[in-house]
Amino acid sequence: RAQLVESGGGSLQAGGSLRLSCNTFGVYDCMGWFRQAPGKEREWVTAIHVGDGPTYAESVKGRFTVSRDNIKSTLYLQMNSLKPDDTGMYYCAAGGSAACFSLRYTDFPYWGQGTQVTVSS
């Protein structure tokens, strides 16, 4: 059951930038982004806890930046220096503090419908 709404996906060439947004309709202790490429499992990209700084997967560290605006109930993902390997459906997810500890997608109870990002070489 999708309760979050993502936007901002698109198609672009390698090296470009995109900014994804997620309306969470509320504030959650842990919010993050996952992605899933065709034929692959859903993988964690980044997460941010209400009381701590963000964490990133090694594959995106230094290129992606997650931020949250609790007043607007919005989560953002700024993606720079995009690569073809970044192609996939990007999902916003939210949950309690335990989700930011485990980073397992099964521990995030709230999800968006996904927004497609396609990076060509």
Side-chain angles (χ1 to χ4, degrees):
R1 183 179 73 237
Q3 295 180 286
L4 316 177
V5 179
E6 304 98 335
S7 62
S11 298
L12 71 168
Q13 290 191 323
S17 298
L18 273 178
R19 188 193 196 204
L20 306 183
S21 298
C22 174
N23 189 334
T24 62
F25 300 101
V27 178
Y28 300 87
D29 286 346
C30 180
M31 295 193 286
W33 293 91
F34 288 74
R35 66 186 180 189
Q36 188 166 18
K40 294 187 177 181
E41 292 191 355
R42 189 169 300 190
E43 67 168 342
W44 168 72
V45 174
T46 180
I48 183 166
H49 187 267
V50 64
D52 300 303
T55 55
Y56 299 94
E58 284 297 322
S59 59
V60 306
K61 197 173 290 184
R63 300 187 297 121
F64 290 13
T65 302
V66 66
S67 60
R68 55 190 288 169
D69 185 329
N70 291 335
I71 295 175
K72 295 182 179 180
S73 295
T74 304
L75 181 72
Y76 301 99
L77 181 63
Q78 178 66 44
M79 305 186 293
N80 299 328
S81 302
L82 282 161
K83 305 174 182 179
D85 283 349
D86 295 317
T87 293
M89 187 71 78
Y90 281 70
Y91 297 92
C92 173
S97 293
C100 271
F101 180 75
S102 73
L103 302 177
R104 291 192 299 261
Y105 72 84
T106 51
D107 288 336
F108 287 81
Y110 307 109
W111 290 86
Q113 79 289 350
T115 186
Q116 179 68 35
V117 173
T118 303
V119 184
S120 58
S121 58

